[in-house]
Structures are given as structure tokens and as C-alpha cells.
Amino acid sequence: MAINERFEQLVREADLNSPVPEHEPERQAWFLARAKTIIEKRAQEAGRKMTFRVETFGCQMNARDSEKIIGILESAGFAEAPSEDADFLVYNTCTVRDNADQRVFGRLGRAGHLKKNHPGMKIAVCGCMVQEKSNVEKIRRSYRFVDLVFGTHNLYRFAEYMCTCIESDGMVVEIWDRADRIVEALPVARKYPFKSGVNITFGCNNFCSYCIVPYVRGRERSRTPEEIILECERLVNDGVVEIMLLGQNVNSYGKDLETSCSFAELLERVCKIEGLKRVRFMTPHPKDFSDDVIRVVRENEKIARHIHLPLQSGSDRILKRMNRRYTRDQYMALALKIREQIPDVSITTDIIVGFPGEEDCDIDDTIDVVRTVGYDNAFTFIYSKRAGTPAANMPDQVPDSEKNRMFDRVLAAVQETAHGRAEHLTGRVMEALAEEINVKDSSYITARLSNNMLVHVPGDPSMIGKMLQVRLDECRGFYFFGTVV
Ligand code: 5AD
Ligand code: SF4
């Protein structure tokens, strides 16, 4: 587990008899040192290790945030528990669609029961959901057993909150409306030793009319290229071979920096890191996708042959109301240019159906784009009304039954076009990163192709984390069976 060495040193050097440091990251190091002594004492008293569990909902950004939370908990001396029955339980939440909120509240209710039989158990809720005031109110009112609530902008203070929480009773609630800084150099526990996400921007400035993200994650902030490269280099030194650059709209990377560096330039710089074998990025916005980025992807074999290009709708009328700032023709021209210029690229997308005012003729337009682009995979979502977004106040909300019917139509089209898209690769030998033991048959290893498709090959755990040359023997629609050559 990669714990940042400089931070570890700060923790070792922290003087618990002196006042709490004001500056970061010294302040967090001090709280972590303090938490360590408490956890150690509790473990001795209990005659067992103190345990934690982090449950993550939502996107890649949240997954990365959870790695940061786990980094702190492990540094404090907690060991991971196999279930939610843990001494320190964290729900890192998502609020992009309403069903995500409902799932968290359901799980939280059950955690309350666990707590009754688990003396000293602490429960924390963080992430996008609690950036919404109404959810915090609901927790205060109906989930009083929760011990800690903190938001997305102050995650870097988790060591401080966690320490305060284990030392005291009562609910600690700390939510900020905006980020005051980007704090580097905190410990991170990676889920996979061989691959990692790296944040390049936080927040979003686009305000698509259905989307809650700009309200809960705030305005776009880019990390400097130097910080990003340094983090990537450290990860590679620590055994990472694949990096995914993360941001809500990676294409607008750098626009807020004093010394300008475009996303294309950043990609090129990341590719130059020796020892790094594969680079991915998530998520580009079609309106900002430059020819430079296409060129850089084409020219750098290290960059995955996979572009996730959210469409959301194929109807100009709906796109306008969604505030997406592109037309269906512009989108299709871009997608086709990507296909033409980057051989073997796979293109995937997100689609929302049932947006206010949407009718069958709009769904026809969406299906038409699906067929023209021929997505390799598509995530279709039923529109979910998010309070505070412009779309939530649009008068012509679509009834659920209609939304479901439209969803089925789009899904059928997506499945029809995506199925067999991979067929043409059958027989080819391609590079694949071995990621894990196959869940159904442990004599197989599951590996990921550059185009993000999975291939299952006979193998053993020693292969995990290695780049393999794999022959794609048999296509099963969305994945392959293959052999290492
Ligand atoms: N309802 C349904 N889907 C949404 N998404 C974002 N906001 C909503 C919403 N209110 C989808 C978009 C986005 C993906 C991450 O989630 O398709 O690309
Ligand atoms: Fe939401 Fe649009 Fe920003 Fe994506 S680009 S996070 S959909 S507002």
C-alpha cells in the first residue's frame, strides 16, 4: 500500500504535546498521529485490531476519494473488515440520480441496527449526497446514530474529523460550499497495485441542466501539470503500469491555470513517463474535444484505444434544453472523425431518456445517432429529477411509465448495435493488462484490452498486473476468450 513517505515522516515527527498546527498537511499529520495512539490503545484494550469498512457509490472520482479515505484509516491503524460490521464505517455517496440516494439511506438504516450490537462503532457519511443541505437535514433528523458527515471539498481534512469523531460523542458535521485549496501529499491506499486513477481537475463549470455535479462538486479547478506528473511518476515507481486521468470534463483541463497547459499537452507529458504502459482518461465533453487530443491519442500507443463520449441525447431540441452546447451533427462528425483517425478505437457513451419534454420523435433521433456511431457500449439512464437543477423546474416532466417505455426502446437499439461490435477483432493478437482472477473460474485470469474490453485467458495469479500478449480466440459479444501467446 503506497503511503506517501513525506507525509509519513510528518506523522512520525508530529509533537502531540504542542498545539495543533495551523498549516496543511502538518495539521492532518498531527491528527493522524493522535488517532494512531488512540486506535492502538483501543486495540490493546479489545485484544483485537480495530477495523474499518468503506462503501463506495458512484463514479471513478468517488472510487479515487475512497482510496484516500482508506489511506488515512490504514495509516491510523485500522484493518479492513470483511463486512459493514466494522468499528469505523464510511459511506462515500453519490447523488447523480435519485436511486443512488435511496440506496444509501437504505444501507444507512441497516447500519444503524448493526451499531446497536457493536459498542463504540462509528458511522460516517461523505461524498456528493451530503453536499445537498436537504440530505444533511434528513440525516440529522432521522439517522441520529450517524457520527460524522463531511463533504467533497474538505475530504483532505478527514484525518482531523476521524480523530475528533473517535474521541467524542455526538454528530460531527462539516460541509463546505467550496474548496479552499487542493491539498497534496496525503496517504492513498490503492485498490489495485498496478493501476490507479489520478485527478487532474475537480468540479465542473458546464451546468448541464439535469446535472447536480456542478452544485455538489463546485467550480472546475485544475491541478498543475507538475503536481500531476509527480504523482504519476511516484505511482509508476511504486509498480503502477496503467493510469486513468480523472476529471468531470478533462478536455477543459488547464483553462484555469496561470501557466497554460492544454489537456493534449498534459496527455503527451504523461505518456513520456518511462515505465508507464497505458494511459486512460475519463470523461471528455464532446463540445471541447480538440483535434489535438485526437492526434495525441493516435500518435501515442500508450493511450488506450477507448473514448467515452457522452451523448446524453441525439435530439437537437433536447440537447439545447440540456444545455449540452453541441448539435447532433457536430457530435456525429466528432465521433466519426475519432473512428476514422484512431484505428481500433472503441467508443462508448452515456444516454439519458425521459428528459422533460422528451417525445418519441426525440427518442428516434437518439436511436439514429446510436446506429450511426455504432457504440461499443452505452450506459442508458432514466432521467432523474435533481432538486435545484434547471431541468427539475421544467413544466413538462415525463411520466414514469413513458420514461420506462422510452428506456426500453433505446436499450434495445444499444444492445442491437453494440452486440458483435468486437467481432472483427477475433483472431487478432493484442496487449491486455491482467487484472484479476476470473470470478467464475479461478483457472482463468481476466485481462483488459486497450479498448476497455475484457478477455478471459487460462492463467494463474502470478500474471496479475502484467501486460500480456493475448490472441482473441472467441468473441462473446461484449468480451472475449483468449490465450496468452
Ligand atoms: N438523471 C439521469 N442521469 C443523469 N446523469 C447525470 N445526471 C443525471 C440525471 N439527473 C448521467 C449522465 C452522465 C452520467 C454520469 O450520469 O448520463 O453522463
Ligand atoms: Fe454534469 Fe454536464 Fe458537468 Fe458532466 S459536464 S458533470 S453532465 S454538468
Side-chain angles (χ1 to χ4, degrees):
M1 294 292 109
I3 304 297
N4 189 297
E5 280 164 25
R6 192 168 79 86
F7 190 77
E8 251 195 354
Q9 196 182 347
L10 289 178
V11 176
R12 275 196 305 273
E13 288 169 359
D15 177 2
L16 295 178
N17 295 317
S18 65
V20 185
E22 269 176 42
H23 296 289
E24 300 293 358
E26 289 79 4
R27 187 177 170 92
Q28 296 312 306
W30 190 94
F31 277 106
L32 192 51
R34 188 176 170 104
K36 249 178 152 161
T37 62
I38 300 167
I39 301 300
E40 207 175 286
K41 193 159 153 268
R42 298 233 174 122
Q44 265 171 11
E45 283 163 8
R48 63 170 178 85
K49 277 205 145 200
M50 292 286 106
T51 59
F52 77 89
R53 179 84 177 177
V54 177
E55 294 288 317
T56 311
F57 299 80
C59 67
Q60 311 271 359
M61 299 279 227
N62 258 21
R64 184 66 181 153
D65 284 353
S66 284
E67 290 187 344
K68 296 175 187 173
I69 293 167
I70 294 171
I72 300 277
L73 289 167
E74 285 185 342
S75 300
F78 284 102
E80 185 157 18
S83 74
E84 284 160 76
D85 192 5
D87 296 303
F88 203 102
L89 172 61
V90 182
Y91 290 100
N92 186 9
T93 65
C94 167
T95 190
V96 85
R97 286 171 293 275
D98 182 56
N99 56 4
D101 286 10
Q102 296 317 322
R103 269 171 58 211
V104 170
F105 281 120
R107 295 278 283 277
L108 208 48
R110 271 180 288 162
H113 290 296
L114 284 178
K115 191 174 175 175
K116 285 188 186 140
N117 297 315
H118 192 132
M121 181 177 181
K122 297 287 180 181
I123 300 177
V125 187
C126 64
C128 292
M129 202 177 105
V130 294
Q131 286 297 137
E132 285 182 89
K133 286 199 176 64
S134 59
N135 284 329
V136 177
E137 283 316 308
K138 188 165 170 179
I139 292 171
R140 276 192 209 272
R141 218 177 33 243
S142 310
Y143 298 82
R144 292 207 189 134
F145 54 83
V146 169
D147 301 280
L148 168 63
V149 182
F150 64 99
T152 53
H153 300 308
N154 49 351
L155 174 72
Y156 73 86
R157 291 209 176 175
F158 174 62
E160 180 171 344
Y161 303 146
M162 180 261 293
C163 184
T164 314
C165 180
I166 56 177
E167 276 189 295
S168 57
D169 291 327
M171 199 188 286
V172 178
V173 179
E174 183 94 3
I175 313 283
W176 296 356
D177 287 340
R178 60 172 68 88
D180 60 345
R181 68 186 83 189
I182 298 174
V183 176
E184 305 283 339
L186 293 175
V188 180
R190 290 198 311 279
K191 187 169 172 197
Y192 297 96
F194 53 86
K195 68 171 184 176
S196 177
V198 169
N199 298 107
I200 65 166
T201 65
F202 299 94
C204 182
N205 289 351
N206 287 314
F207 291 93
C208 301
S209 64
Y210 52 81
C211 187
I212 194 85
V213 167
Y215 306 90
V216 294
R217 288 267 171 179
R219 289 302 69 69
E220 192 174 293
R221 305 167 303 284
S222 302
R223 292 173 75 196
T224 65
E226 291 72 28
E227 276 159 359
I228 295 167
I229 300 293
L230 192 66
E231 180 173 353
C232 294
E233 284 171 348
R234 282 194 179 136
L235 286 166
V236 171
N237 280 335
D238 201 39
V240 164
V241 292
E242 178 179 302
I243 282 176
M244 183 183 276
L245 303 175
L246 297 172
Q248 302 294 350
N249 175 7
V250 290
N251 294 323
S252 64
Y253 170 78
K255 288 185 180 155
D256 57 325
L257 291 174
E258 277 168 21
T259 49
S260 90
C261 171
S262 69
F263 179 57
E265 285 164 332
L266 181 73
L267 264 179
E268 266 183 322
R269 285 177 70 173
V270 172
C271 286
K272 290 210 177 90
I273 298 174
E274 227 167 285
L276 178 60
K277 299 200 172 139
R278 202 182 258 175
V279 181
R280 298 183 180 278
F281 56 85
M282 187 82 94
T283 306
H285 192 303
K287 80 176 164 61
D288 297 319
F289 211 115
S290 69
D291 285 353
D292 267 349
V293 171
I294 299 179
R295 177 186 54 78
V296 171
V297 175
R298 186 182 61 230
E299 288 174 358
N300 286 277
E301 281 293 315
K302 280 188 186 182
I303 304 177
R305 309 286 99 173
H306 172 217
I307 307 283
H308 185 68
L309 198 64
L311 168 69
Q312 313 302 4
S313 169
S315 152
D316 280 338
R317 198 173 67 87
I318 298 294
L319 282 171
K320 204 168 177 70
R321 299 187 78 189
M322 284 179 163
N323 192 29
R324 289 292 288 177
R325 286 175 278 179
Y326 51 80
T327 63
R328 58 181 267 123
D329 284 349
Q330 284 166 338
Y331 179 96
M332 283 194 286
L334 172 65
L336 298 180
K337 184 158 67 181
I338 290 171
R339 275 225 190 286
E340 202 179 278
Q341 302 210 1
I342 310 172
D344 293 335
V345 75
S346 76
I347 301 183
T348 58
T349 200
D350 292 339
I351 296 169
I352 298 176
V353 293
F355 185 82
E358 192 153 45
E359 293 172 15
D360 268 310
C361 57
D362 302 303
I363 298 293
D364 291 341
D365 285 350
T366 298
I367 291 175
D368 187 54
V369 177
V370 167
R371 295 208 170 114
T372 308
V373 175
Y375 293 107
D376 296 80
N377 206 350
F379 300 96
T380 311
F381 304 107
I382 290 183
Y383 167 72
S384 169
K385 193 168 154 179
R386 308 315 288 135
T389 61
N393 296 327
M394 291 181 184
D396 37 6
Q397 301 287 325
V398 177
D400 282 351
S401 58
E402 278 293 285
K403 283 186 192 167
N404 289 332
R405 198 181 52 75
M406 291 171 171
F407 179 83
D408 290 345
R409 283 192 64 200
V410 174
L411 193 66
V414 161
Q415 283 175 344
E416 186 190 299
T417 52
H419 197 81
R421 267 277 320 149
E423 202 91 57
H424 70 286
L425 296 175
T426 309
R428 291 265 295 272
V429 173
M430 295 187 120
E431 213 171 39
L433 174 59
E435 294 197 337
E436 52 203 4
I437 300 168
N438 185 294
V439 278
K440 288 198 189 130
D441 182 345
S442 61
S443 67
Y444 277 76
I445 295 296
T446 298
R448 194 176 293 273
L449 297 170
S450 172
N451 73 3
N452 211 36
M453 281 188 170
L454 296 179
V455 52
H456 307 288
V457 294
D460 62 75
S462 71
M463 289 152 68
I464 290 172
K466 300 208 170 92
M467 281 288 183
L468 312 171
Q469 289 295 322
V470 172
R471 192 181 50 240
L472 307 174
D473 297 323
E474 192 190 335
C475 178
R476 295 275 182 98
F478 294 108
Y479 61 92
F480 287 94
F481 278 102
T483 31
V484 178
V485 296

